[in-house]
Amino acid sequence: MSFQLQNISLMMGAKTLLSNVDLTLNPGELLAVLGPNGAGKSSLLKIMAGEYRHHSGAMDINKQRFENYDAKERAKILAVLPQTSSLAFPFSVFEVVMLGRLPHSSGARRDREIVFAALAQTDVSHLANALYPTLSGGEKQRVQLARVLCQIWESSKEGKSYLLLDEPTSALDLSHQHHTLALAKDMAEKGVAVLSILHDVNLAAQYADKILMLEEGRAIAYGNVEEILTAPRISSLYGIEVAVIDHPKGSHPLVVTL
Amino acid sequence: MSASAQLAVDAKALKVKWSLMVLTVAMFIALLISVGIGPMKISMYDALSVILAKAGFMESQVSNVVHSIVSSIRLPRSLLAVLVGSSLAVCGAAMQGLFRNPLADPGLIGVTGGASLAAVLMIVLGGTTFSWLYSYLGDYTLMIAAFSGAFCTTMLVSKIATTSFGTSVTSMLLAGIAIGIVTGAGVGILTFMADDAQLRTLTFWAMGSLGGATWSTVLAAGTMISITLFCLPMHAKNLNALLLGESEARHLGVNVEKVKRQIILLAAVGVGASVAVSGMIGFVGLIVPHIVRLTLGPDHRYLIPACAVLGALFLLVADMISRTIIAPAELPIGLITTIIGGPFFIAMLVSRTRSNQL
């Protein structure tokens, strides 16, 4: 079981946003997608989320064609955290997170347990009664993360679950960046397949199992962290000079700009 | 940690339950008072006994005059206030959820304008050009025309205001203003063509009035409005998800296009039926949902029922004011809701501009 993309291409007018991307997202692993602005990272995520439908190529989730799923059934195994969310209505944090249980019919009591567990996981339990529009950007992002965690909290009879995160750390302070990725990693270890768009190469180096590099809509590299994160490759991708050294703790590479 | 949080959530559910109960009781009391108000004072007890007799629960215990005043004049009018008030408030709430903006009042975004143009078309040309329609649709002609007008304008506004990036509030309000002007001009042309009798109906109607209430209008409007009032609550959870954003709702398994279409259709049915029987009664769909949201929050599972009851109560009270303030003459109810609603809207606009939420 996996999330398989074959030969995905996307045109927007005359512009090619993605060309012939193949990808397999496996349960149990955290895949980081890296690339400069405009490389097609968000487009790829939006295609996988079912938002863009005018792409060519085929997608399968757990061996079933993406389009053949009933929307609600698919929502039970595929959760998406968008980059920004513009909720302006005064929902409480609890109510926002509860929306993650919408595709499920697990009963109010179980839903509530899951919501509180998710709130605790993303470190926003203390905000349960706060109104969402009054939160800071980082708090909002953590609440939204709790919401998507709720959506795939329990393993479904539909098969393995998938979690797509679009820059989940963009508004977070240093400790919450690590907290969030540790959480994503934790989800992966529980058998969920996680894909996350990241800008921080070192976060990717520390937490990801696999890395996909996109450049101008093409997948230029895919593989294990140590294989992919080499100085020449990062330099050519981002156009800045870097060196890759061993992390002081030795477990993964560390990228430093020169 | 979660003990206190859980309590707050429960407290809210309890508050909702109580508010709904209190509002419903208040609405029934207002209904009885409203039936009693008029040139001939009728006590709440007598009003109740006529209503119960009418419903077949007991023998009428009041004089025939009282009975016929209540049952053929005042009761239909009060019931029409209940129907139109709930319908406008609930449709307002649904449209605000759909457009993800609390300023999306059916009147402000041109929906009422579209409905009224179509209805005026029927009033003025119904005897001649469109007489064949009347022979098919009978009592429902005006209502179906108003519904079609409401539906077309809602679709138009939503097409203009929605891009792949979501709904632009500026485009929505501007499109609404433009449509309002165009439909207003259309109504103007038709008014110009109208004869004296039609003119009187039109004036009356342009300012909004429940004066035309009979059992047949109550029945016709009631049928259509019930569809809206019963079906919109089924979309409560979908509307909640839509508030997060269309993409987010889609990720949660909501069939966004289908849900949007159905909500637009249901709101157009409700607004269309209301406009057809009572003319232009503005701002109910703006004020009522806003007040409910302030007290009970934006959750549509509570918002829709609470709007239905508070909307009915609001219009009953407005109608009582309209009937008594310059008695024996009658001030059109649309003027009253607009006098309350206009400043209310400006206040909302100012507070939202200040907090950069527009």
Side-chain angles (χ1 to χ4, degrees):
Chain A
M1 288 212 217
S2 59
F3 195 151
Q4 282 188 308
L5 283 71
Q6 287 151 24
N7 220 3
I8 296 290
S9 299
L10 178 73
M11 303 281 290
M12 195 75 96
K15 203 177 163 220
T16 307
L17 295 183
L18 286 171
S19 60
N20 306 82
V21 175
D22 292 310
L23 178 67
T24 303
L25 181 59
N26 292 310
E29 66 184 25
L30 170 57
L31 170 74
V33 180
L34 298 179
N37 297 123
K41 304 183 297 294
S42 284
S43 300
L44 181 68
L45 187 132
K46 281 180 177 152
I47 289 175
M48 294 175 78
E51 240 173 284
Y52 288 167
R53 270 168 273 182
H54 50 283
H55 56 85
S56 61
M59 287 197 295
D60 294 299
I61 300 182
N62 297 342
K63 299 204 172 86
Q64 189 180 331
R65 266 295 123 90
F66 190 90
E67 307 80 44
N68 292 351
Y69 274 93
D70 173 65
K72 199 152 232 171
E73 296 307 308
R74 193 170 61 217
K76 286 180 185 169
I77 53 167
L78 175 63
V80 184
L81 180 73
Q83 221 174 93
T84 50
S85 260
S86 57
L87 173 65
F89 284 81
F91 271 122
S92 73
V93 164
F94 177 87
E95 289 171 316
V96 171
V97 178
M98 188 55 113
L99 286 173
R101 298 302 298 168
L102 191 70
H104 303 273
S105 41
S106 39
R109 176 184 291 192
R110 181 72 191 125
D111 284 349
R112 181 184 284 214
E113 285 169 15
I114 293 172
V115 169
F116 281 112
L119 286 170
Q121 286 261 292
T122 57
D123 194 22
V124 282
S125 297
H126 59 291
L127 298 172
N129 291 315
L131 294 181
Y132 182 85
T134 64
L135 304 182
S136 74
E139 288 166 341
K140 284 180 181 170
Q141 211 165 18
R142 276 144 57 203
V143 170
Q144 294 286 355
L145 181 65
R147 176 176 67 79
V148 296
L149 289 183
C150 267
Q151 197 181 334
I152 50 166
W153 193 261
E154 293 170 313
S155 53
S156 165
K157 63 176 188 301
E158 313 291 321
K160 294 292 184 184
S161 303
Y162 300 86
L163 178 60
L164 310 178
L165 309 169
D166 196 349
E167 293 183 32
T169 56
S170 59
L172 301 183
D173 61 38
L174 195 58
S175 88
H176 283 110
Q177 288 182 11
H178 285 272
H179 184 91
T180 297
L181 279 169
L183 201 58
K185 178 101 182 157
D186 195 42
M187 289 298 279
E189 273 158 13
K190 282 182 191 151
V192 174
V194 185
L195 175 148
S196 178
I197 295 177
L198 289 174
H199 276 304
D200 186 334
V201 182
N202 282 318
L203 279 178
Q206 189 173 348
Y207 292 99
D209 298 302
K210 294 269 173 59
I211 288 181
L212 171 72
M213 273 185 179
L214 288 178
E215 187 176 31
E216 289 171 3
R218 287 168 300 111
I220 55 162
Y222 170 79
N224 292 324
V225 174
E226 288 79 8
E227 271 169 58
I228 300 300
L229 292 184
T230 60
R233 198 175 264 139
I234 298 169
S235 297
S236 88
L237 184 68
Y238 290 103
I240 53 163
E241 239 185 295
V242 299
V244 177
I245 56 175
D246 280 333
H247 192 275
K249 292 233 170 124
S251 54
H252 52 83
L254 180 67
V255 180
V256 286
T257 53
L258 296 176
Chain B
M1 58 86 208
S2 62
S4 67
Q6 280 182 347
L7 268 176
V9 172
D10 293 333
K12 187 164 175 182
L14 200 67
K15 186 177 165 189
V16 168
K17 212 179 270 175
W18 273 104
S19 310
L20 272 177
M21 243 152 45
V22 169
L23 279 176
T24 312
V25 171
M27 188 198 80
F28 275 112
I29 294 173
L31 182 74
L32 294 179
I33 297 175
S34 122
V35 167
I37 283 180
M40 183 175 175
K41 291 263 175 298
I42 294 168
S43 73
M44 275 172 68
Y45 177 79
D46 286 351
L48 186 64
S49 92
V50 176
I51 291 171
L52 288 177
K54 186 91 186 153
F57 287 119
M58 55 184 263
E59 288 289 306
S60 181
Q61 293 165 343
V62 294
S63 71
N64 280 340
V65 185
V66 170
H67 186 89
S68 69
I69 287 179
V70 170
S71 80
S72 59
I73 301 173
R74 297 208 187 147
L75 192 55
R77 180 174 182 145
S78 298
L79 286 178
L80 202 65
V82 169
L83 285 169
V84 171
S86 336
S87 158
L88 289 176
V90 165
C91 293
M95 285 190 173
Q96 285 144 23
L98 194 68
F99 285 104
R100 309 209 290 124
N101 191 289
L103 299 180
D105 174 67
L108 290 170
I109 60 170
V111 180
T112 331
S116 69
L117 176 61
V120 169
L121 204 65
M122 286 301 132
I123 294 176
V124 177
L125 300 178
T128 52
T129 320
F130 294 113
S131 55
W132 54 276
L133 258 179
Y134 271 94
S135 61
Y136 280 116
L137 302 170
D139 278 350
Y140 287 87
T141 316
L142 204 58
M143 233 159 270
I144 288 169
F147 152 71
S148 319
F151 182 70
C152 292
T153 38
T154 319
M155 290 300 281
L156 192 63
V157 172
S158 119
K159 279 270 180 310
I160 295 173
T162 313
T163 62
S164 51
F165 300 106
T167 305
S168 151
V169 187
T170 325
S171 324
M172 174 189 80
L173 290 174
L174 288 177
I177 293 170
I179 290 171
I181 293 170
V182 174
T183 54
V187 170
I189 293 170
L190 288 162
T191 313
F192 204 66
M193 294 163 64
D195 60 33
D196 273 356
Q198 287 168 347
L199 217 50
R200 196 168 323 179
T201 323
L202 284 185
T203 332
F204 203 49
W205 193 80
M207 291 186 277
S209 169
L210 296 165
T214 60
W215 282 108
S216 76
T217 52
V218 168
L219 194 69
T223 326
M224 290 188 63
I225 289 171
S226 314
I227 299 176
T228 302
L229 292 183
F230 278 111
C231 296
L232 270 180
M234 293 177 200
H235 283 302
K237 282 188 170 181
N238 293 332
L239 277 165
N240 286 346
L242 273 172
L243 288 189
L244 282 176
E246 285 187 20
S247 315
E248 285 83 348
R250 214 168 277 134
H251 302 153
L252 285 169
V254 175
N255 188 339
V256 174
E257 274 66 37
K258 190 173 141 200
V259 166
K260 275 174 79 173
R261 232 180 3 253
Q262 288 186 4
I263 291 171
I264 288 179
L265 198 69
L266 288 169
V269 168
V271 174
S274 309
V275 169
V277 291
S278 61
M280 312 275 273
I281 301 181
F283 292 107
V284 181
L286 183 85
I287 300 171
V288 174
H290 190 71
I291 293 173
V292 175
R293 258 187 230 109
L294 281 179
T295 47
L296 300 182
D299 187 334
H300 287 88
R301 284 173 303 166
Y302 313 138
L303 180 66
I304 292 177
C307 278
V309 186
L310 187 63
L313 178 62
F314 179 77
L315 215 59
L316 276 171
V317 173
D319 186 47
M320 283 189 254
I321 297 173
S322 112
R323 282 189 285 154
T324 49
I325 196 163
I326 51 166
E330 200 176 285
L331 190 66
I333 190 171
L335 295 183
I336 292 167
T337 60
T338 307
I339 289 167
I340 304 172
F344 192 93
F345 177 65
I346 293 170
M348 267 175 84
L349 212 56
V350 170
S351 83
R352 291 178 70 79
T353 314
R354 291 245 169 92
S355 59
N356 253 332
Q357 275 188 309
L358 201 65

